[in-house]
Amino acid sequence: MEGTVNMAITNISVVVEFILLGFGDLPNYQGFLFSIFLLIYMTILVGNGLIIIITKVDPTLQTPMYFFLRHFSFIEICYTTVTLPRMFTNHLTQRRNISFLACAIQLCFFLIWGGTECFLLAVMAYDRYMAICNPLNYSLIMNQKFCICLVVACWISAIPIPVAQTYLIFSLYFCSSNLLNHVFCDVPPLLNLACGDTTIIELYTYAGAFLSAVIPFLMILVSYIKIIATIQKLPSAMGRQKAFSTCSSHLIVVSLFFGSGIISYFLPNSIKSAEVDKVLSLIYTTMTPMFNPLIYSLRNKDVIMALKKFSFK
């Protein structure tokens, strides 16, 4: 028994940092990857920053839909800031080490922002459901106080599970290797490095992903089933097209984010490789935040007009 305890203590003291392998197997492309990641991050900051500004200052965009979009853009910035700056710094300096504590903090905030984004996407679907399926009571129900409560609820709901999950994961022993075959600290690659039986923590991870991602996704699905049923009953084709156009941008963002995220977290490791996992993680951590402003701008006349007015000021 004493020998086991000493071994555990030794294991804990050995792993003081992880090495993020990332795309280190492509040494000739490190400068190119640095440029790409930096460009993506700057695009995310500028694009989502513009969405935040115009939905705040333009009087025509003071509706619940744009209120939620403003908070969604802010979360997108926070979500990518947790991972991208370290990624392009690693490619620039070739120093891929990340301390035990820094890895835990990165994972915790990554999961919190990701969970908040899932819940907020569900709230945005509910907003579209109320606007299309219950238009007469929309302004009464979706008032400013209720919208603020919904956003606060998204933030609060997304905190407990990631905190507990991070604590459980970093309570494990990492004794075999500190080489993390990923682009940032994420749950699946960390569990692959852990020693001993991780079944309970894996079950907790699946349960956490179910509560934070699958349930919001099902809520979005139910909302859009009802929305589509209501749209089909509209008498004119123009009315149906206008109603659906208010939802199309949100649907595209939901498909990008949840599609890659669910595959990454729920597809068995025996089917997907580590390289595929890296690419999928880049899709839901960079592609969605980068394309979000573009999707909402190109498919929304109000946002286009607000951007034009803002540009000529």
Side-chain angles (χ1 to χ4, degrees):
M1 180 68 181
E2 184 179 352
T4 304
V5 173
N6 289 335
M7 185 179 294
I9 293 172
T10 302
N11 290 336
I12 294 174
S13 62
V14 167
V15 180
V16 295
E17 65 178 13
F18 294 103
I19 306 298
L20 290 167
L21 297 180
F23 297 101
D25 55 338
L26 302 172
N28 297 328
Y29 295 93
Q30 296 306 301
F32 174 73
L33 290 172
F34 165 77
S35 302
I36 291 296
F37 289 138
L38 180 60
L39 179 62
I40 289 173
Y41 186 57
M42 296 306 297
T43 303
I44 290 169
L45 290 181
V46 173
N48 286 283
L50 277 174
I51 292 292
I52 292 171
I53 293 171
I54 64 170
T55 55
K56 182 68 177 177
V57 301
D58 195 282
T60 63
L61 302 182
Q62 304 308 305
T63 63
M65 182 174 74
Y66 298 111
F67 172 79
F68 295 130
L69 178 58
R70 179 163 66 250
H71 284 273
F72 183 72
S73 294
F74 174 73
I75 291 171
E76 294 277 52
I77 291 174
C78 297
Y79 185 58
T80 51
T81 300
V82 174
T83 57
L84 269 181
R86 178 171 283 274
M87 284 168 58
F88 59 69
T89 301
N90 288 347
H91 287 289
L92 178 65
T93 63
Q94 295 299 301
R95 295 187 61 186
R96 303 181 183 279
N97 57 307
I98 181 171
S99 69
F100 199 81
L101 178 60
C103 188
I105 292 172
Q106 185 185 61
L107 175 66
C108 187
F109 278 99
F110 172 73
L111 294 175
I112 288 174
W113 296 125
T116 307
E117 186 164 338
C118 291
F119 287 123
L120 191 55
L121 283 170
V123 167
M124 292 169 78
Y126 175 74
D127 171 68
R128 292 298 83 208
Y129 160 75
M130 290 299 299
I132 294 172
C133 301
N134 196 6
L136 296 178
N137 295 321
Y138 176 72
S139 300
L140 181 64
I141 296 173
M142 301 299 293
N143 55 65
Q144 186 178 15
K145 183 178 179 180
F146 184 59
C147 290
I148 292 172
C149 289
L150 287 174
V151 170
V152 172
C154 290
W155 286 82
I156 294 174
S157 301
I159 294 175
I161 294 175
V163 171
Q165 193 172 349
T166 303
Y167 173 78
L168 288 172
I169 290 172
F170 283 88
S171 297
L172 294 168
Y173 301 144
F174 298 94
C175 55
S176 57
S177 173
N178 68 338
L179 299 178
L180 201 62
N181 193 14
H182 207 56
V183 290
F184 56 87
C185 292
D186 202 0
V187 176
L190 282 168
L191 290 179
N192 289 337
L193 292 184
C195 298
D197 187 13
T198 60
T199 304
I200 294 177
I201 296 181
E202 286 179 8
L203 289 174
Y204 184 88
T205 299
Y206 281 118
F210 182 81
L211 292 173
S212 299
V214 177
I215 287 182
F217 179 74
L218 292 175
M219 292 169 64
I220 293 170
L221 194 62
V222 170
S223 296
Y224 275 105
I225 289 172
K226 294 183 177 181
I227 287 171
I228 292 170
T230 302
I231 290 175
Q232 293 299 319
K233 296 177 183 177
L234 294 176
S236 67
M238 186 175 292
R240 288 194 294 270
Q241 183 178 357
K242 185 178 179 181
F244 187 75
S245 66
T246 64
C247 307
S248 57
S249 300
H250 181 254
L251 271 174
I252 295 171
V253 172
V254 167
S255 301
L256 280 173
F257 181 77
F258 279 101
S260 55
I262 288 174
I263 292 172
S264 181
Y265 274 83
F266 287 95
L267 200 67
N269 291 329
S270 58
I271 298 177
K272 58 174 179 158
S273 65
E275 300 306 317
V276 171
D277 202 29
K278 291 177 191 177
V279 174
L280 287 171
S281 66
L282 284 176
I283 291 174
Y284 66 80
T285 56
T286 62
M287 294 298 103
T288 305
M290 185 173 66
F291 288 128
N292 169 49
L294 193 62
I295 291 168
Y296 275 99
S297 299
L298 293 180
R299 302 187 66 87
N300 192 303
K301 293 180 181 179
D302 294 334
V303 174
I304 292 173
M305 290 301 297
L307 282 170
K308 287 180 178 179
K309 286 190 290 184
F310 183 76
S311 301
F312 289 113
K313 280 186 177 180

